[in-house]
Amino acid sequence: MNEETLPPFEQAFGALRQFTRARRSASRPLEQCELCSAGLAQDHPHLVELTSRQILCACDACAMLFDGMEKSKYKRVSRRAQHLIDFEMTDGQWESLLIPINMAFFFRSSIEGRVIALYPSPAGAVESLLPLEAWNEIAEGNRPLSRLLPDVEALLVNRVGHAHGARAGRVLHRSDR
């Protein structure tokens, strides 16, 4: 199928792809470490700035500087993920969290001393400002949640397929340590 027989939206995406390929072939690396400006490989570590919750791209050397440091502005974000096969959350427990869509992630903030829920929106991640008292009940029924490391491990709850009868996927991010 040549480009002229493609639907108009596919033709537009094809033009955009050519533009992005041209930029990637420039002499400058696609991404740079946001601390030292070193060029980064496609698969690179990340740091989280704790007060703003901003994720930063980092080179291996900069990421190692903050790995395991207790009192630091940055913490290294885990690269491992684990599927929690025995995770249980009832529809009632999910509804008690008052999250308006069927996907959210939860992490313990060391700065705020509480579990924070974030969910996607067209404008980016939105924090649920609603109380999360139901979290304690969910965590009591799922022992791995009590062992989440603050700031760098999170529980992703994906109930998007739940409305269609699919079992929701849940991922627990674990530390690289």
Side-chain angles (χ1 to χ4, degrees), residues 43-63:
D43 185 25
H44 57 269
H46 293 88
L47 300 171
V48 61
E49 198 279 318
L50 299 178
T51 55
S52 68
R53 297 188 203 135
Q54 181 180 359
I55 303 293
L56 304 171
C57 295
C59 65
D60 288 327
C62 287

Side-chain angles (χ1 to χ4, degrees), residues 1-11 14 17-18:
M1 183 179 273
N2 66 33
E3 191 167 314
E4 294 167 357
T5 61
L6 292 173
F9 69 91
E10 284 292 334
Q11 291 175 17
R17 279 187 208 103
Q18 290 175 348

